[in-house]
Amino acid sequence: MSFFVDVVTEDSFYENLTVGVVKILEGLPYVKNVRVERRNGCEDTVISNWEQRHCCLLPEDLRNFYLSIDGFQLLWNLEIAGEEFSVGRMEIGSFSTLKRCSTTRDHQLDCPRQESTDPGSEIEPRSSAVDLENACSLQAGSSQSCKMFEIARCYPEIGMTKVYLVYCTKPEAEAAPSIWLHREELDRWYHLADSFTVYFRMMLVHLGLPLWQCCVAGVTLPTWVEQVYFLVGPHLLPATVEATETISATLWSNGPTNVIDPGIFKGKDGKQKIPRRK
């Protein structure tokens, strides 16, 4: 999917980049102090040097993103009983943090699996583990190695959890990188998105709620995180999750429902749009 670039003012740039999410958050009764960190873009030569050093090309959407802004951070607070807590976070690491990561352990990758239709068979879990290299083989079609670059981190409440840009390469070709979630304490991998654009969309739609990547991957969330979801985005939780009595049921029933139309991410010609500042 290709991108085109507009020259816009700084205020318009951030409004277009977040597609109005800031105004949506500011309109929620429990969300306070929404702030976006403003950053300049990267130099093209810096990105080119990175590509030469790591022998891989950044996907076009991610390259355009870093040319426009060197990472992204949007934070917001949650007000409960008159007290504010720093809870919401949308973050993409700066380009300098996009460093290659490696480990000698055998990676485990969680992929969705269909439940058995045989009434006598044992119910399968929501996901099953497979070897990371085998999963990459399905994408690249041959033997290859994986290159992983950290682009974000999640809340530490369930152990260190990071988000990686993963290249699955083979000698004669290079497959498009995808986005994966890694839980270090379990050494388990979960596929999140096939491209950076899709990942960024997911981050906006989930309003930067805590551990939203884990919610997408089907990982069980801590109780307090589920409570925050019921207040700000109850529609984002799986249907099997029910509100607890820790917070008044009135808050759950009156919690706002926010739905972002995916069409707002497209220009008139159907291309994805990343604005470029003056």
Side-chain angles (χ1 to χ4, degrees):
M1 186 174 294
S2 61
F3 284 78
F4 65 94
V5 177
D6 278 350
V7 177
V8 296
T9 63
E10 188 172 38
D11 289 340
S12 297
F13 168 80
Y14 284 99
E15 184 175 355
N16 292 335
L17 181 65
T18 60
V19 292
V21 166
V22 173
K23 293 182 179 179
I24 292 176
L25 288 169
E26 290 175 341
L28 300 179
Y30 312 112
V31 174
K32 307 295 180 181
N33 192 20
V34 182
R35 62 265 190 206
V36 179
E37 183 177 339
R38 302 198 173 198
R39 305 178 182 182
N40 295 322
C42 296
E43 296 292 336
D44 186 78
T45 53
V46 174
I47 297 178
S48 297
N49 290 338
W50 181 94
E51 292 175 329
Q52 293 178 8
R53 182 167 64 254
H54 295 289
C55 298
C56 59
L57 297 176
L58 280 182
E60 183 183 1
D61 55 356
L62 187 54
R63 167 181 272 272
N64 287 339
F65 172 83
Y66 277 118
L67 288 174
S68 298
I69 180 172
D70 187 12
F72 175 78
Q73 186 178 79
L74 185 154
L75 306 174
W76 52 266
N77 296 347
L78 182 68
E79 183 181 34
I80 299 179
E83 186 175 357
E84 291 188 17
F85 303 88
S86 181
V87 171
R89 176 183 294 269
M90 303 184 196
E91 186 172 28
I92 301 296
S94 64
F95 190 73
S96 62
T97 65
L98 194 64
K99 297 179 180 179
R100 185 174 181 179
C101 303
S102 61
T103 176
T104 57
R105 298 179 61 185
D106 292 330
H107 298 299
Q108 295 294 316
L109 176 73
D110 276 7
C111 297
R113 183 175 179 179
Q114 294 183 348
E115 294 185 359
S116 173
T117 57
D118 183 359
S121 63
E122 183 179 357
I123 296 178
E124 296 288 346
R126 292 185 60 187
S127 59
S128 58
V130 297
D131 184 78
L132 179 58
E133 290 191 3
N134 291 338
C136 287
S137 296
L138 297 177
Q139 298 181 32
S142 181
S143 60
Q144 68 289 306
S145 60
C146 292
K147 297 180 180 179
M148 302 171 291
F149 301 90
E150 180 184 332
I151 63 172
R153 296 190 179 188
C154 304
Y155 277 77
E157 279 74 8
I158 61 172
M160 183 57 70
T161 307
K162 301 179 182 179
V163 179
Y164 289 93
L165 179 72
V166 178
Y167 288 80
C168 294
T169 61
K170 55 184 179 179
E172 66 275 13
E174 185 172 281
S178 52
I179 309 296
W180 295 81
L181 178 72
H182 183 218
R183 296 184 63 187
E184 291 191 351
E185 77 283 5
L186 300 177
D187 199 19
R188 301 291 292 276
W189 290 82
Y190 305 83
H191 178 262
L192 293 178
D194 289 328
S195 69
F196 174 77
T197 299
V198 173
Y199 177 79
F200 197 84
R201 288 178 183 174
M202 293 164 62
M203 181 177 66
L204 294 175
V205 169
H206 285 80
L207 303 178
L209 285 160
L211 298 173
W212 69 264
Q213 298 97 332
C214 295
C215 183
V216 171
V219 177
T220 302
L221 301 175
T223 301
W224 77 267
V225 173
E226 291 181 353
Q227 294 170 354
V228 174
Y229 274 75
F230 277 111
L231 279 172
V232 180
H235 62 288
L236 298 171
L237 283 170
T240 55
V241 177
E242 298 180 357
T244 65
E245 297 179 356
T246 306
I247 299 180
S248 169
T250 302
L251 293 180
W252 302 142
S253 60
N254 294 337
T257 299
N258 310 299
V259 179
I260 297 180
D261 181 2
I264 62 179
F265 293 96
K266 296 183 179 180
K268 294 181 179 179
D269 57 357
K271 294 182 178 180
Q272 297 300 315
K273 183 176 181 180
I274 289 184
R276 179 77 65 82
R277 286 174 288 177
K278 290 182 179 179

